[in-house]
Amino acid sequence: MHLDRDTCYRALKTRDARFDGRFFIAVRTTGIYCRPICPARTPKLENVEFHPSAASAQEAGFRPCLRCRPECAPDFGSLGTSRTVSRALGLIGEGALDDGDVGRLADRLGLGERQLRRLFEKHLGASPIAVAQTRRVLLAKQLLHETQLPMTDVAFAAGFGSLRRFNATFQRLYRRPPSALRREVARAAAPSSSIHLTLGYAAPYDWPAVIDFLGARAIEGVEVVEPRRYRRTIDLGGCLGTIAVEPLRDRRALAATIDFADVRALPGIIARIRNLFDLASDVGAITAQLAEDPALAPLVAARPGLRVPGAWDPFECAVRAVIGQQITVTGARRLVGGLVAAHGEKLPAADGALTHAFPRADALAAADLSRLPMPRARSAALAALASAAARDPALFAIDGDLDAKLARLRALPGIGAWTAHYVAMRALREPDAFPAADVGLLRAAAGPGGTRPSPASLAARAERWRPWRAYAAQHLWSAASPRHAGVSEREEEAVA
């Protein structure tokens, strides 16, 4: 990845927040690497080098700055120039390299290990292992700063295999034990069983649009959506818990509160929250490309921070999409709420309106869904989806390209093009997914009083929006009806 030294240095001198997370500054005289917004005195140009990622700087032998805290920089995981790297980063965030097996990661992505290493070096300036190790260290440092977790829990939550390795890594990087880093921060907060973390993003961020989108789909008992707070139940590995997310008024970050007994699941939970709120998207690059279309330009200008809200769980998203294919929003919510009440596991202690986890695939596969108040073909499609997900845990894996994912989903009975693209854009985080047959998109593309295009003509027009067609769809939906974008009036093919 090429970084122009003069441009980077000007951004450093002006502390330009637009470049935060896009590159890191390594100072040879101190051995420390920083964010462009670091408040420390600006070093001379001849004493610095610029790195495309924290992993690159760390692999070059520099240690993280204690003032600007590189772990808090925005994480640009959506690299439009390499979807393979983006998918690999998503898998690493879920723990794919906890055992250090790059070959297996490459196999999941459908390419050779050497090619994967070349892509990482090109786009991130570091190897896959270095990226995984750096993320582990920076998460541990964030937990030391922002939580009161015991040292052993911090080590395991960050993905370290042992406390000894955790201590040795911090001694080497920071020249002090992790306990010394914790003593250097205030302990004003009272001990709590909850984990409170801040998750940064690159501004602008359209929180009202995201929360309206999620609110229109909130599942009773599983989610509670308020204007400035989102809460839901989570179920990972048979362990139940809750999360709460809200925007911080004075920072470019969201505050996440996590209540979950197994600290080892924390990296995966954080990755899911980041996906759910689309925190890693490069809205600047996306906006610039979409604004080249004269018809999209005013929509992009009106909502420059618009994101594509994700989904906590792909199976949950797919069930919601199948049920909502051809019924009203209210009817779909009522049906999904009934499924949760009948087949979802109850929380040991209800947290207000949060009472159940979403039903697991095996629970719905074993249930008699034919009695649901919906067409028999639709309930059969739901049963087939549940059975397939119960049999194949990799059904919704994020590896493979977009076409492979769409083909895998469309092979299921009752999953057509609309549903496959919708699940891909929200749950599988494919920025180029585009449900061209959606009536809401067709109506929005026509404009007031215009002629509604055919799905084929809209798909042809959308070619110029690649690789950000999902964001174009979100702009069209939001312009038409922000709260009910993409949730009713489907044009879906008949159920097989």
Side-chain angles (χ1 to χ4, degrees):
M1 181 177 180
H2 175 71
L3 294 174
D4 182 78
R5 285 180 60 80
D6 292 337
T7 300
C8 291
Y9 194 66
R10 285 197 299 270
L12 170 62
K13 288 197 298 184
T14 58
R15 307 295 189 270
D16 194 332
R18 294 175 300 173
F19 291 85
D20 190 18
R22 298 182 183 277
F23 66 88
F24 293 83
I25 301 95
V27 185
R28 301 189 189 98
T29 52
T30 63
I32 293 172
Y33 74 89
C34 306
R35 299 158 66 182
I37 62 171
C38 185
R41 187 174 64 180
T42 304
K44 296 180 179 179
L45 178 59
E46 59 266 26
N47 293 332
V48 301
E49 54 189 65
F50 301 100
H51 291 265
S53 66
S56 173
Q58 204 155 295
E59 194 171 36
F62 295 91
R63 63 186 186 276
C65 176
L66 295 176
R67 292 188 67 181
C68 66
R69 298 181 58 197
E71 69 271 16
C72 296
D75 182 9
F76 289 102
S78 297
L79 302 173
T81 53
S82 177
R83 289 301 301 149
T84 299
V85 174
S86 296
R87 288 191 291 269
L89 289 175
L91 292 170
I92 289 173
E94 294 179 356
L97 286 183
D98 285 350
D99 59 358
D101 194 338
V102 179
R104 189 180 305 169
L105 174 62
D107 289 342
R108 293 181 64 178
L109 295 166
L111 69 164
E113 181 177 338
R114 181 178 297 180
Q115 184 181 359
L116 180 62
R117 292 181 184 276
R118 281 200 300 265
L119 286 172
F120 265 68
E121 189 61 39
K122 176 182 177 181
H123 294 284
L124 299 175
S127 67
I129 290 294
V131 169
Q133 291 174 340
T134 301
R135 289 191 167 201
R136 193 176 299 140
V137 168
L138 294 182
L139 175 56
K141 186 167 175 283
Q142 184 178 11
L143 293 173
L144 288 171
H145 274 271
E146 299 182 10
T147 77
Q148 294 299 317
L149 285 173
M151 289 296 166
T152 302
D153 286 351
V154 170
F156 290 140
F160 287 91
S162 69
L163 189 60
R164 178 187 61 79
R165 183 178 299 175
F166 170 64
N167 288 327
T169 299
F170 270 74
Q171 188 67 48
R172 175 175 55 83
L173 272 178
Y174 295 99
R175 301 177 182 176
R176 68 199 77 185
S179 57
L181 290 174
R182 172 160 283 175
R183 284 197 296 268
E184 292 175 2
V185 299
R187 291 194 174 205
S192 170
S193 59
S194 302
I195 296 174
H196 303 274
L197 294 173
T198 56
L199 305 177
Y201 58 78
Y205 189 93
D206 195 336
W207 171 266
V210 171
I211 209 68
D212 280 349
F213 190 96
L214 295 175
R217 297 153 182 78
I219 301 171
E220 185 177 357
V222 175
E223 298 172 289
V224 174
V225 181
E226 301 165 346
R228 290 194 61 81
R229 199 177 192 212
Y230 172 87
R231 297 192 299 135
R232 69 159 294 135
T233 59
I234 60 176
D235 179 359
L236 296 173
C239 185
L240 305 183
T242 63
I243 62 168
V245 181
E246 54 192 297
L248 292 172
R249 296 183 184 276
D250 57 345
R251 295 179 60 181
R252 299 180 178 191
L254 303 183
T257 301
I258 302 167
D259 285 287
F260 200 76
D262 186 0
V263 294
R264 294 176 187 266
L266 190 58
I269 293 174
I270 294 173
R272 289 193 185 213
I273 294 175
R274 295 188 65 85
N275 286 338
L276 177 60
F277 289 92
D278 196 16
L279 299 185
S281 68
D282 188 348
V283 290
I286 296 168
T287 297
Q289 179 170 330
L290 296 184
E292 293 177 359
D293 185 326
L296 272 185
L299 307 186
V300 172
R303 312 204 83 148
L306 194 66
R307 310 291 171 122
V308 175
W312 174 260
D313 179 74
F315 176 67
E316 176 185 311
C317 180
V319 169
R320 180 68 176 76
V322 168
I323 289 178
Q325 281 173 358
Q326 291 175 333
I327 61 177
T328 65
V329 177
T330 303
R333 291 182 66 171
R334 187 181 300 117
L335 262 175
V336 177
L339 275 182
V340 168
H343 305 290
E345 184 174 346
K346 286 186 177 181
L347 293 182
D351 181 3
L354 299 180
T355 58
H356 292 73
F358 192 83
R360 298 167 188 156
D362 55 355
L364 288 187
D368 181 7
L369 303 180
S370 62
R371 297 184 179 181
L372 290 174
M374 61 192 305
R376 183 170 298 178
R378 192 69 62 209
S379 61
L382 191 58
L385 171 66
S387 297
R391 289 193 310 268
D392 182 12
L395 178 64
F396 297 108
I398 64 173
D399 48 335
D401 60 20
L402 174 59
D403 290 338
K405 295 174 188 177
L406 295 175
R408 193 163 56 204
L409 292 172
R410 294 194 66 178
L412 299 172
I415 302 293
W418 186 93
T419 305
H421 275 273
Y422 183 77
V423 172
M425 70 184 285
R426 289 201 61 206
L428 305 184
R429 305 309 302 149
E430 279 292 341
D432 204 34
F434 189 74
D438 181 80
V439 174
L441 287 183
L442 297 171
R443 183 186 298 115
T451 302
R452 184 183 299 183
S454 68
S457 63
L458 179 59
R461 176 187 166 192
E463 285 297 307
R464 67 187 300 183
W465 303 333
R466 287 183 181 273
W468 311 117
R469 292 187 302 172
Y471 290 87
Q474 196 68 31
H475 275 289
L476 290 169
W477 275 337
S478 294
S481 179
R483 282 191 58 79
H484 299 104
V487 296
S488 63
E489 294 188 299
R490 311 279 191 251
E491 278 188 351
E492 181 66 286
E493 58 269 28
V495 176

